[in-house]
Amino acid sequence: MKNTKYVFVTGGVTSSLGKGIIAASLAKLLQERGYSVTIQKLDPYINVDPGTLNPYEHGECYVTNDGAETDLDLGHYERFLNIPTSQANNVTTGRIYQSVIDRERRGDFLGKTVQVIPHITDEIKRRIQLLGNTGEYDIVITEIGGTVGDIESLPYIEAVRQLNWELGHDNAIVIHLTLVPYLAAAGELKTKPTQHSVKTLMQSGVNPDILVCRTEHPISDDIKRKLALFCNVKQEDVIESLDAETIYDVPIMMFNEGLDEVVLRKLDLCIEEKPSLNKWNEFLHKHKNPKHTVEIGLIGKYVELHDAYKSISEAFIHAGSSNEINVNIHWIHSEKINAKNVEKKLGKLNGILVAPGFGERGIEGKITAIQYAREQKIPFLGICLGMQMAVIEYARNVLHLEGANSSEMDENTPHPVIDLMEEQKNISNMGGTMRLGAWDCTLTKGTKVYDAYKSDLISERHRHRYEFNNTYTDVIQASGMKITGTNPKTGLVEIIELDNHPWFVGVQYHPEYKSTVLNPHPLFIAFIQACLAHHG
Ligand code: GLN
């Protein structure tokens, strides 16, 4: 059983400073020094999980092996650390209140008045320590979502105050991530916003141990001294975090700034073992010095917000680096594709990816794009809804099953080639009720996917309600579309491929969730290699 130490990461001045990337980078450095580390995100919103949020609100919904629908920062944690996260790694205010209210209804509080302090804060503390209490981790890093001073973050900051006190100073520290803006007119970096955010934090009884300062320009010693003086930290505990070319530079930058060492000293842990960053540096080097470029169209209906497809774009970076290929993503709005302009929009691409999604908006554009990829023999990867649309396109245009559709889009379609699973039919709640998390899939030998995975049994993560309708299996397979992966327990179709096409694969699952820096995903690798071959 390890004596787990806790690092809390709070944010000040503004949102979007990249707390998740700083937390993941610190965790990476500690992990490479030999510590076992995990990262947790506490989100102050009242949704029980982000599964019910529109991607425009909050970017991609990430899914863990155990089927948690989570904040996209968990994707960064997995991509950096190369270890899976779980339900316990993402906690929201909705979840906290839900469990406290459930206990109140059971009568667990024995007549007491249930209050934010201590009941909500106790539940927050319990959730924070759940990961530590597994005995698996030397260090748990907990990122508090939102910005210090937000009304909804207050119970979290209070829980951090209490835990810091209870665990003692060698066992828990607070890193405050803040912005040091540059005023072009004055030609100066300004410390006042940071002073104010630290003051707000201190009003809640929390003293930061380390300041990580996001900045567009290097921070001089003078500025560090000033920040230290006003914010109750030592000068060496003020860490500069300059804007980076890529998020994958940040661990190296934080190492050069000594963030990991400062953290270890404060937690009274050994700093002798230096992190081995060879593999990471090799990845970065290849990422920045590609030998080839492929042009891939990412077709989706949320493309205005690239964060909605975060794991997909990162998976291209991992697979690209390992093959020394620069993947240039063209973000193409599915609503804007039609039979007239498809050639113009997609004609120059080396590969086409049709993205996941929900609902009717933009699906006809996706189907047109898939028809183009199929007929012009452009490498194609369809993910989840993208796979479903590939089946629909094939049913309509090759098998001439007129009006073929998913019953998600048209309940009365004469040919529901994609249909609701039997066990989904009586479900009325939207939250947390899809087919979620990791499921096994057996692959057929001699197929594109078998060549990619080099294994006949894989496990991939899911997030969907609708499935390939098995009553169409024979019709579909009779003429060139092949089912090449199925769930061994349920017989559900997980993968389709086309014969007579250089590379056309649709997967019901989300391969992108499992791609990491050190383990690029085999399907993304195979896809971009096919794109490169198409490029010639
Ligand atoms: N809307 C589809 C379904 O629920 C696909 C979901 C997805 O692409 N993640 O089955």
Side-chain angles (χ1 to χ4, degrees):
M1 189 82 178
K2 299 182 189 263
N3 169 28
T4 303
K5 311 253 179 176
Y6 293 86
V7 176
F8 300 106
V9 181
T10 60
V13 182
T14 166
S15 57
S16 304
L17 289 182
K19 283 198 295 286
I21 300 298
I22 292 291
S25 300
L26 171 63
K28 183 75 216 166
L29 295 173
L30 298 172
Q31 185 191 51
E32 290 296 342
R33 283 177 184 262
Y35 292 101
S36 61
V37 191
T38 190
I39 320 176
Q40 176 188 47
K41 171 97 190 260
L42 306 183
D43 274 312
Y45 51 71
I46 295 170
N47 302 64
V48 171
D49 60 44
T52 52
L53 286 174
N54 186 318
Y56 285 133
E57 293 273 315
H58 211 251
E60 167 190 282
C61 173
Y62 186 76
V63 180
T64 60
N65 277 334
D66 64 351
E69 296 178 276
T70 75
D71 185 77
L72 60 72
D73 272 339
L74 272 81
H76 291 309
Y77 306 163
E78 290 204 13
R79 291 188 280 272
F80 276 55
L81 293 185
N82 207 29
I83 54 168
T85 54
S86 69
Q87 295 275 359
N89 292 75
N90 194 191
V91 176
T92 66
T93 295
R95 207 171 275 278
I96 299 278
Y97 271 81
Q98 194 177 47
S99 39
V100 172
I101 291 169
D102 284 349
R103 288 177 55 210
E104 186 276 334
R105 292 289 81 183
R106 283 203 305 268
D108 288 3
F109 295 107
L110 305 174
K112 286 268 180 233
T113 308
V114 181
Q115 295 180 297
V116 173
I117 305 172
H119 302 102
I120 294 297
T121 47
D122 278 353
E123 180 61 15
I124 295 173
K125 290 190 316 190
R126 188 183 73 80
R127 299 272 182 162
I128 291 172
Q129 289 177 291
L130 268 185
L131 285 164
N133 291 344
T134 60
E136 269 179 66
Y137 302 105
D138 298 308
I139 302 163
V140 174
I141 300 178
T142 299
E143 177 193 343
I144 319 283
T147 308
V148 165
D150 294 348
I151 290 176
E152 54 186 20
S153 311
L154 281 173
Y156 293 96
I157 302 294
E158 169 60 13
V160 168
R161 183 193 71 76
Q162 293 178 20
L163 261 184
N164 252 1
W165 176 249
E166 288 161 15
L167 295 166
H169 218 70
D170 290 348
N171 294 314
I173 59 166
V174 175
I175 298 177
H176 188 59
L177 179 64
T178 172
L179 177 71
V180 179
Y182 180 76
L183 281 197
E188 268 181 336
L189 287 168
K190 289 297 184 189
T191 65
K192 195 73 83 187
T194 299
Q195 295 178 37
H196 281 298
S197 83
V198 170
K199 203 183 250 174
T200 308
L201 195 57
M202 282 161 59
Q203 273 165 359
S204 304
V206 175
N207 207 108
D209 297 279
I210 298 168
L211 291 183
V212 175
C213 304
R214 285 295 311 275
T215 172
E216 289 171 36
H217 296 276
I219 298 179
S220 66
D221 281 348
D222 262 0
I223 301 247
K224 284 192 178 172
R225 207 170 302 126
K226 194 167 170 190
L227 283 165
L229 179 70
F230 280 103
C231 301
N232 269 14
V233 296
K234 293 203 185 98
Q235 194 176 325
E236 63 261 31
D237 301 335
V238 179
I239 305 285
E240 165 190 292
S241 169
L242 270 170
D243 288 354
E245 188 185 328
T246 120
I247 56 170
Y248 299 108
D249 281 323
V250 180
I252 309 293
M253 291 163 72
M254 288 301 102
F255 175 68
N256 293 337
E257 284 294 308
L259 175 63
D260 53 332
E261 206 169 308
V262 173
V263 166
L264 290 172
R265 278 188 208 283
K266 291 197 181 288
L267 293 175
D268 204 16
L269 291 169
C270 170
I271 56 164
E272 295 310 312
E273 190 88 24
K274 294 277 174 263
S276 91
L277 295 167
N278 294 349
K279 283 189 190 150
W280 195 271
N281 277 322
E282 190 190 332
F283 157 80
L284 261 182
H285 179 78
K286 284 191 183 168
H287 172 50
K288 292 185 178 180
N289 299 283
K291 298 206 171 101
H292 317 273
T293 293
V294 292
E295 311 291 335
I296 295 185
L298 191 157
I299 297 170
K301 66 169 171 175
Y302 308 109
V303 289
E304 305 91 324
L305 182 72
H306 295 182
D307 269 2
Y309 304 104
K310 196 75 199 161
S311 293
I312 294 177
S313 55
E314 298 307 308
F316 276 132
I317 291 177
H318 310 149
S321 162
S322 73
N323 285 273
E324 301 181 291
I325 297 174
N326 167 37
V327 178
N328 190 19
I329 300 180
H330 298 245
W331 303 87
I332 302 172
H333 206 299
S334 52
E335 275 184 302
K336 301 203 173 121
I337 301 176
N338 55 50
K340 279 207 192 91
N341 65 17
V342 64
E343 165 86 42
K344 189 158 166 260
K345 282 195 180 280
L346 311 183
K348 292 205 172 66
L349 298 171
N350 310 127
I352 292 173
L353 183 144
V354 174
F358 293 83
E360 214 189 344
R361 186 168 68 91
I363 64 147
E364 293 304 326
K366 287 187 172 176
I367 291 173
T368 306
I370 294 167
Q371 179 176 10
Y372 187 77
R374 179 175 58 76
E375 291 175 351
Q376 302 303 316
K377 305 218 181 299
I378 301 172
F380 165 81
L381 177 59
I383 299 181
C384 207
L385 185 70
M387 171 269 198
Q388 298 177 351
M389 292 302 125
V391 173
I392 293 167
E393 190 279 319
Y394 194 78
R396 285 185 193 174
N397 298 330
V398 179
L399 304 176
H400 305 292
L401 301 175
E402 212 173 303
N405 214 331
S406 162
S407 46
E408 177 181 6
M409 319 305 166
D410 176 6
E411 264 179 72
N412 304 315
T413 166
H415 297 291
V417 288
I418 304 293
D419 200 8
L420 206 53
M421 282 178 279
E422 213 40 57
E423 57 271 34
Q424 284 283 340
K425 290 192 175 151
N426 296 321
I427 293 176
S428 54
N429 272 0
M430 295 300 275
T433 54
M434 284 187 253
R435 174 146 85 108
L436 290 166
W439 294 79
D440 281 348
C441 170
T442 37
L443 306 182
T444 314
K445 289 213 168 92
T447 58
K448 302 263 178 1
V449 280
Y450 185 87
D451 286 352
Y453 284 93
K454 299 185 178 53
S455 165
D456 51 15
L457 182 66
I458 59 166
S459 166
E460 292 281 6
R461 299 180 195 172
H462 292 246
R463 180 172 186 254
H464 55 102
R465 248 177 249 289
Y466 295 81
E467 300 279 352
F468 181 96
N469 181 348
N470 268 328
T471 52
Y472 288 89
T473 307
D474 292 340
V475 196
I476 291 235
Q477 294 213 99
S479 60
M481 181 170 269
K482 292 283 154 354
I483 292 163
T484 58
T486 48
N487 180 311
K489 284 212 182 89
T490 59
L492 287 170
V493 171
E494 309 285 31
I495 310 174
I496 54 96
E497 287 184 27
L498 277 189
D499 290 342
N500 305 320
H501 191 287
W503 208 92
F504 188 106
V505 175
V507 291
Q508 183 58 80
Y509 52 82
H510 291 262
E512 69 275 21
Y513 293 145
K514 280 181 75 173
S515 177
T516 70
V517 166
L518 298 184
N519 261 337
H521 196 284
L523 209 54
F524 278 85
I525 292 179
F527 177 48
I528 64 169
Q529 285 173 346
C531 297
L532 186 64
H534 178 266
H535 184 45

